[in-house]
């Protein structure tokens, strides 16, 4: 993916900022900067950018449990601020922006200001590479002074508490904002995928969806015939009898949505509504629940195949079984068990029972 061309700007400098990265801060710094320029900010307090970096990574870290790496300061800051502030793991971004930027909590302020040690000036190192035997501190001092003169057409000027966007870049940033953010997220997805090789669908875990898709179609088109055929379904977790007309159930993900990031039918099942409210994104223990889950899925599969073998839901099963004529337990198990293990390794906790 390439950045939009410009005749009078050093686009190659901007593109090369992601050429050698060992942490996520450069991606989130640029995304935050572009968002704030879109909002009309040209002199931008550093604290505002740092707060935006936190809010933009909040959902990815806290809800989807994506690992940024043990030494990534952004992940460390997000996790500490979550513990310090009265915020939820899936808090609205607008509330996060306001609360973090205006927080008086000493730990939160320290976490934000920690980024000032390296983030703002190292991002400009493509414009101001190290020279001769220059130390890191000497380079940092030079980047600050030279950027204030907009030497080398630098993207912004660095000051103690704020940055000033170079006027020659403003039009480019505004007119290409979406492409620049997509470019940043694309490179971020590649970076995180290398650190989470077994985690599915990294790109869709970088931004909190505006609205989660409902499961009404799956309920009415796939599970309703099962209820009709069986009369009732036993909840695999509580053994409560579930009835379609009584609506005492909820369609839920066996492996949490926050990990798989999809609504494929092979991971969905009706469970007791009250239990669903408390289950949240906890993982079911494989040894306790897989057999019951498999048997229910097999029965539902056979009923739906009998009534409509060409249903789109049959195709969804082809992602885990070789053909729809055989619903093999070992094939199903070899998909479910590793996903539970990986989810656990990435910070999802198991149910108590």
């Amino acid at each position: 993916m390439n950045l939009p061309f410009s005749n009078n700007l050093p686009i190659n400098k901007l593109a090369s900022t992601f050429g050698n990265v060992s942490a996520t801060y450069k991606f989130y710094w640029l995304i935050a900067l572009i968002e704030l320029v879109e909002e009309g900010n040209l002199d931008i307090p550093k604290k505002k950018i740092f707060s935006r970096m936190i809010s933009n990574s909040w959902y990815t870290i806290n809800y989807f449990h994506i690992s940024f790496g043990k030494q990534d300061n952004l992940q460390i800051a997000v996790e500490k601020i979550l513990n310090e502030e009265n915020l939820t793991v899936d808090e609205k971004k607008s509330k996060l922006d306001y609360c973090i930027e205006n927080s008086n909590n000493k730990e939160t302020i320290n976490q934000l200001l920690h980024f000032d040690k390296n983030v703002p000036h190292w991002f400009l190192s493509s414009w101001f590479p190290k020279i001769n035997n220059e130390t890191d501190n000497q380079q940092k001092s030079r980047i600050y002074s030279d950027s204030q003169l907009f030497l080398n057409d630098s993207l912004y000027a660095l000051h103690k508490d704020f940055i000033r966007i170079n006027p020659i870049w403003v039009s480019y940033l505004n007119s290409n904002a979406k492409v620049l953010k997509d470019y940043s997220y694309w490179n971020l997805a590649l970076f995180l995928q290398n650190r989470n090789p077994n985690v599915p669908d990294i790109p869709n875990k970088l931004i909190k969806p505006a609205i989660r898709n409902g499961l009404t179609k799956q309920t009415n088109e796939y599970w309703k015939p099962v209820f009709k055929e069986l009369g009732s379904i036993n909840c695999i977790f509580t053994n409560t009898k579930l009835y379609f007309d009584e609506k005492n159930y909820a369609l839920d993900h066996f492996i949490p949505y926050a990990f798989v990031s999809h609504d494929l039918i092979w991971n969905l099942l009706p469970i007791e509504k009250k239990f669903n409210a408390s289950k949240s994104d906890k993982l079911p223990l494989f040894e306790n629940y897989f057999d019951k889950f498999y048997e229910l899925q097999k029965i539902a599969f056979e009923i739906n195949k009998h009534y409509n073998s060409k249903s789109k839901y049959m195709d969804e099963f082809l992602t885990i079984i070789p053909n729809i004529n055989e619903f093999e337990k070992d094939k199903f198990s070899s998909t479910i068990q590793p996903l539970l293990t990986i989810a656990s390794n990435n910070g999802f906790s198991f149910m108590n029972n």
Side-chain angles (χ1 to χ4, degrees):
M1 183 177 182
N2 297 318
L3 292 178
F5 177 75
S6 172
N7 283 317
N8 62 328
L9 294 173
I11 304 303
N12 62 313
K13 303 290 188 185
L14 181 59
S16 65
T17 56
F18 298 152
N20 183 23
V21 292
S22 58
T24 58
Y25 73 82
K26 284 186 177 180
F27 306 113
Y28 283 107
W29 171 263
L30 182 57
I31 292 166
L33 187 150
I34 294 167
E35 287 182 348
L36 291 165
V37 170
E38 283 186 289
E39 295 169 13
N41 300 280
L42 298 181
D43 285 1
I44 312 175
K46 290 177 180 176
K47 187 179 180 183
K48 183 182 285 289
I49 307 177
F50 299 148
S51 299
R52 190 65 64 97
M53 291 168 65
I54 296 293
S55 68
N56 282 335
S57 58
W58 187 270
Y59 199 69
T60 302
I61 293 169
N62 289 325
Y63 182 78
F64 284 122
H65 297 281
I66 301 300
S67 173
F68 283 21
K70 292 183 178 180
Q71 303 304 315
D72 193 294
N73 288 324
L74 186 55
Q75 178 163 357
I76 293 170
V78 168
E79 292 172 347
K80 286 188 176 180
I81 291 172
L82 174 65
N83 290 329
E84 292 290 334
E85 304 287 345
N86 188 26
L87 299 166
T88 63
V89 298
D90 58 349
E91 196 69 71
K92 289 184 178 179
K93 187 173 181 295
S94 57
K95 182 177 180 180
L96 285 173
D97 290 335
Y98 179 82
C99 290
I100 296 171
E101 184 180 347
N102 294 283
S103 175
N104 293 316
N105 183 288
K106 184 177 179 180
E107 180 62 29
T108 296
I109 294 171
N110 287 339
Q111 288 302 317
L112 293 179
L113 295 182
H114 176 78
F115 293 112
D116 196 35
K117 295 179 180 178
N118 294 303
V119 177
H121 71 276
W122 283 134
F123 187 88
L124 290 181
S125 59
S126 294
W127 283 268
F128 305 104
K130 186 173 288 189
I131 56 177
N132 300 325
N133 295 318
E134 192 175 41
T135 66
D136 286 347
N137 285 335
Q138 289 172 332
Q139 184 185 12
K140 178 179 179 178
S141 178
R142 179 170 58 86
I143 291 175
Y144 265 78
S145 58
D146 287 357
S147 70
Q148 291 173 16
L149 302 173
F150 292 131
L151 293 184
N152 303 330
D153 293 332
S154 62
L155 183 63
Y156 53 81
L158 278 166
H159 297 271
K160 184 177 185 299
D161 297 318
F162 71 97
I163 70 166
R164 174 169 292 154
I165 302 298
N166 189 336
I168 67 172
W169 280 93
V170 173
S171 176
Y172 180 87
L173 294 178
N174 275 312
S175 60
N176 297 292
K178 184 179 185 306
V179 176
L180 291 168
K181 286 185 288 187
D182 287 347
Y183 177 80
S184 301
Y185 277 118
W186 178 67
N187 280 280
L188 175 61
L190 295 177
F191 178 86
L192 291 177
Q193 193 66 73
N194 285 334
R195 281 154 179 74
N196 300 265
N198 297 312
V199 176
D201 204 18
I202 292 287
N204 283 324
K205 295 178 178 178
L206 301 181
I207 302 175
K208 180 180 180 179
I211 300 175
R212 278 271 306 275
N213 293 326
L215 300 174
T216 302
K217 284 189 174 181
Q218 291 91 331
T219 300
N220 291 329
E221 296 173 2
Y222 188 85
W223 283 101
K224 184 177 180 179
V226 182
F227 275 103
K228 184 177 179 180
E229 184 79 15
L230 300 179
S232 66
I233 293 174
N234 284 353
C235 174
I236 69 168
F237 299 112
T238 67
N239 208 36
T240 303
K241 284 192 176 297
L242 310 175
Y243 297 95
F244 188 82
D245 292 333
E246 292 184 11
K247 304 294 183 184
N248 64 332
Y249 66 92
L251 203 61
D252 190 38
H253 299 76
F254 186 72
I255 302 171
Y257 174 87
F259 180 71
V260 296
S261 189
H262 65 64
D263 297 321
L264 295 179
I265 202 70
W266 54 262
N267 190 45
L268 299 175
L269 77 163
I271 66 174
E272 184 185 12
K273 187 177 289 187
K274 290 182 180 179
F275 179 79
N276 182 56
S278 63
K279 177 178 176 289
S280 186
D281 62 357
K282 296 289 194 301
L283 300 171
L285 288 167
F286 181 87
E287 58 270 24
N288 288 4
Y289 299 110
F290 174 73
D291 286 347
K292 293 179 182 179
F293 176 55
Y294 166 76
E295 291 300 331
L296 177 57
Q297 281 284 4
K298 182 179 179 181
I299 291 170
F301 177 85
E302 294 296 341
I303 290 172
N304 276 276
K305 186 175 72 170
H306 173 75
Y307 285 109
N308 185 7
S309 62
K310 295 183 179 180
S311 164
K312 64 180 180 180
Y313 299 113
M314 297 296 103
D315 291 339
E316 291 184 8
F317 276 99
L318 291 176
T319 61
I320 60 170
I321 57 177
N323 63 73
I324 64 171
N325 294 318
E326 296 181 18
F327 199 87
E328 300 177 43
K329 188 174 184 178
D330 61 336
K331 297 289 185 184
F332 203 61
S333 172
S334 64
T335 295
I336 299 299
Q337 189 168 29
L339 287 175
L340 288 172
T341 301
I342 297 166
S344 174
N345 291 340
N346 278 268
F348 288 86
S349 57
F350 283 97
M351 293 161 44
N352 291 328
N353 57 344

